[in-house]
Amino acid sequence: MVTQRNGNPNAEERTVDVVIIGAGASGLMAARTLKKAGKSVCVLEARNRVGGRTWNGKVLDDQGTEHFIEIGGQWISPDQTRLTELVQELGLETFDRYREGKSVYVSPDGTRHEFEGDTFPTSEETASEMNRLIAELNQLAEEVDANAPWEHPRAKELDSQSFRDWLESLSDDSEAIDNISLYISSGMLTKPSRTFSVLQAALMASSAGSFDNLVDENFLLDKRVAGGMQSVSITMAEELGDDVILSSPVRTLEWATPDPSTADAPNNVEADVRNGVDNNGGPGTVTAYSDRAVVHAKNAILAVPPNLYNRISYVPPLPREQHVAHQHISMGLVIKVHAVYETPFWREEGLSGTAFGGDRLVAEIYDNTNYGKNFAGGEEGKEDAFGTLVGFVSDVYAEEMWALPAEERKERILDAMSIYLGDKVKKPIAFFLSDMAAEEWTRGAYATSYDLGGLSRWGHLQNKPTGPIYYSSSDIAGAGYQHVDGAVRIGEAVAKQILGQG
């Protein structure tokens, strides 16, 4: 039986209370919570590392010196209280993002402006329009429950109109629209603003507490973890020890016994569970067949983003509603740009390193200079002498860049960054592009979202267990949606649901 399902006759066999598929922050938090409550667990991870979309990396300069970079997610905002508590519980340290000095804004006509404060230096008319659109989004964020946006009285209406179309119905100021769109389309969902709905945008704002919080980069991008955000997952995995098995993607998940009467003998269709099963969420009999282990359990947790659910073969197949729903949720696309310099030269010029540019190739830049010790070097309690900038190339621009030869891509991106911070930007000593879309077990960034009409139609299924299978990832979190905080929250919540079932 073991050989038939995973093709490995030497696979380790285990029996536990809960098998968790995915060793990102969500899966590890679920495992940690269950184990503390006395349950036995096994975490199966496809990658050769833990952390999922958090990933501590390094890049070498021309001299062979290693520089620490965070390939994946990295920031903590003040509202992400559960993640902050967990960081403290794990004995990790945080530090503030550098933000002293003037920021830079480049207007649609290419004019460069240095400014202080939270307001872009636009015309009074554009500033007024931006404030009006922000107020509209704040109102929507207040109305929409991040845990159940599909329950809004106008959910279907809001979900049928694209975010861009909605903004254009409220204003004809293209600069204001580009700037407001930046915070959701380029900055969060990493999809063109005509491909997702107003309801999806409202969920994003509601999950952050307000649209104001998305607009305020000093709030949203507040702190980092010394040694990198992946350290959160690494530390939890160390606590779990042998309960975590790496390089072991789950190929098959047996999870239910179909009713024989559902078979369609004339058409040679085996019995299945197309209409669902009774007792969703209750314990059952689950067997996960992975490359290195076969794990029998009472419950399973899929702690992977929804775009990866279909990498597993379910026996029997999942109910039809799950089959359909999962086809309408997908990852966005973004390139995270890391550029390392001999010194943070922008600070000497009175600049914070923060820069924005509406609908430009590189829409955002931040000072990402490291602090403290990390696996590539660094000193405890000290800031790195090298300066690091991080920038973002989103959605269709990212596609355009990946189509270019490497040297041309680098030149185009650095040219785009130099518009904000000058020609010195063009000469980094090290340069790296995060490419999560090419990762087999991620396939995009930052997270998944529904296509038009999908959230109101299928969103109610995303947190509903299927038999003994639970779902857990930042992609389907309410508070902390798309953030590590959301991953931690939902992992803990799902574990407590299972504990509540006995």
Side-chain angles (χ1 to χ4, degrees):
M1 186 67 166
V2 170
T3 304
Q4 180 184 1
R5 290 295 187 197
N6 69 358
N8 180 7
N10 299 314
E12 176 186 355
E13 196 158 5
R14 296 190 188 184
T15 299
V16 296
D17 292 314
V18 183
V19 58
I20 295 124
I21 301 169
S26 191
L28 293 169
M29 187 64 181
R32 184 175 193 257
T33 305
L34 288 163
K35 192 169 182 180
K36 281 189 170 185
K39 298 293 183 182
S40 57
V41 299
C42 181
V43 184
L44 299 171
E45 169 56 47
R47 298 177 179 88
N48 61 3
R49 61 174 180 83
V50 301
R53 283 165 279 177
T54 63
W55 188 0
N56 295 342
K58 60 180 73 171
V59 59
L60 273 63
D61 63 26
D62 291 340
Q63 304 302 313
T65 302
E66 293 182 344
H67 300 274
F68 179 75
I69 56 173
E70 294 200 60
I71 297 172
Q74 62 176 71
W75 283 297
I76 306 176
S77 57
D79 61 317
Q80 294 174 7
T81 53
R82 188 60 191 100
L83 175 57
T84 299
E85 292 168 357
L86 178 61
V87 167
Q88 293 171 349
E89 289 169 23
L90 297 174
L92 301 174
E93 180 187 3
T94 61
F95 65 99
D96 292 336
R97 176 176 67 85
Y98 184 85
R99 62 197 87 181
E100 296 178 20
K102 294 181 179 180
S103 299
V104 175
Y105 172 73
V106 176
S107 58
D109 65 4
T111 305
R112 179 183 178 278
H113 308 267
E114 294 183 6
F115 70 101
E116 295 178 315
D118 301 328
T119 305
F120 290 171
T122 63
S123 69
E124 289 185 14
E125 293 80 5
T126 294
S128 177
E129 283 295 273
M130 287 179 63
N131 288 333
R132 188 168 66 82
L133 293 173
I134 289 169
E136 292 274 359
L137 281 159
N138 277 332
Q139 181 60 43
L140 266 183
E142 190 174 330
E143 293 173 4
V144 168
D145 180 357
N147 293 307
W150 46 86
E151 293 182 358
H152 189 280
R154 294 192 294 125
K156 188 174 181 180
E157 172 195 341
L158 294 171
D159 206 28
S160 65
Q161 186 176 24
S162 80
F163 186 47
R164 184 77 184 197
D165 288 342
W166 180 75
L167 290 172
E168 289 178 350
S169 74
L170 297 175
S171 175
D172 59 4
D173 188 318
S174 60
E175 184 177 2
I177 291 170
D178 283 345
N179 288 338
I180 295 301
S181 179
L182 162 73
Y183 296 108
I184 298 286
S185 59
S186 299
M188 291 294 171
L189 302 182
T190 62
K191 292 179 177 178
S193 55
R194 294 195 194 278
T195 65
F196 60 87
S197 72
V198 187
L199 185 64
Q200 190 82 57
L203 163 60
M204 189 77 252
S206 176
S207 71
S210 70
F211 190 76
D212 278 334
N213 287 343
L214 294 183
V215 171
D216 184 359
E217 87 282 350
N218 287 329
F219 179 89
L220 197 65
L221 313 180
D222 183 33
K223 294 182 184 297
R224 293 172 60 194
V225 176
M229 183 68 80
Q230 191 191 1
S231 302
V232 173
S233 291
I234 291 170
T235 307
M236 285 195 286
E238 287 172 349
E239 290 180 350
L240 292 164
D242 292 340
D243 293 335
V244 180
I245 302 177
L246 301 180
S247 301
S248 196
V250 172
R251 307 298 185 181
T252 302
L253 187 65
E254 292 181 348
W255 66 281
T257 302
D259 180 349
S261 68
T262 62
D264 180 2
N267 292 302
N268 199 30
V269 176
E270 296 181 1
D272 56 33
V273 293
R274 64 190 61 193
N275 293 316
V277 297
D278 296 328
N279 195 33
N280 281 332
T285 302
V286 175
T287 301
Y289 296 85
S290 73
D291 284 6
R292 295 181 56 206
V294 175
V295 182
H296 308 283
K298 299 173 185 175
N299 287 99
I301 299 175
L302 286 190
V304 298
N307 66 306
L308 297 181
Y309 292 166
N310 64 7
R311 294 304 308 278
I312 298 170
S313 177
Y314 300 89
V315 181
L318 292 177
R320 70 166 66 82
E321 60 184 10
Q322 294 288 349
H323 283 170
V324 175
H326 300 164
Q327 296 178 62
H328 294 270
I329 188 167
S330 60
M331 280 280 180
L333 177 62
V334 67
I335 298 171
K336 186 178 184 183
V337 182
H338 311 261
V340 183
Y341 301 88
E342 288 286 358
T343 64
F345 63 85
W346 50 94
R347 297 183 186 178
E348 299 161 10
E349 299 169 10
L351 300 176
S352 64
T354 301
F356 303 98
D359 188 26
R360 305 189 73 84
L361 174 60
V362 179
E364 304 170 76
I365 301 175
Y366 302 98
D367 185 321
N368 214 41
T369 302
N370 294 309
Y371 173 89
K373 194 169 180 57
N374 54 65
F375 74 87
E379 291 185 51
E380 204 77 51
K382 289 188 177 181
E383 186 180 54
D384 197 345
F386 296 97
T388 302
L389 291 174
V390 63
F392 296 92
V393 180
S394 191
D395 56 75
V396 294
Y397 287 124
E399 290 175 5
E400 180 184 340
M401 290 300 100
W402 287 129
L404 298 176
E407 282 306 310
E408 184 180 351
R409 180 189 310 130
K410 178 180 178 180
E411 183 179 352
R412 286 277 304 279
I413 290 173
L414 290 173
D415 281 348
M417 294 173 67
S418 72
I419 294 170
Y420 302 102
L421 300 175
D423 285 345
K424 290 181 182 178
V425 167
K426 297 180 182 181
K427 297 180 179 179
I429 59 173
F431 184 79
F432 185 91
L433 302 179
S434 296
D435 187 9
M436 301 299 278
E439 290 287 314
E440 182 180 6
W441 302 109
T442 306
R443 301 192 169 194
Y446 307 113
T448 61
S449 55
Y450 287 91
D451 55 19
L452 285 174
L455 180 57
S456 61
R457 186 175 175 186
W458 295 293
H460 70 283
L461 298 172
Q462 65 184 24
N463 302 113
K464 176 184 174 183
T466 304
I469 303 171
Y470 286 77
Y471 305 93
S472 180
S473 73
S474 63
D475 310 75
I476 56 173
Y481 169 54
Q482 294 203 352
H483 291 93
V484 181
D485 180 72
V488 169
R489 287 177 185 274
I490 196 170
E492 186 172 48
V494 163
K496 289 179 177 178
Q497 278 184 272
I498 291 174
L499 292 170
Q501 293 281 353

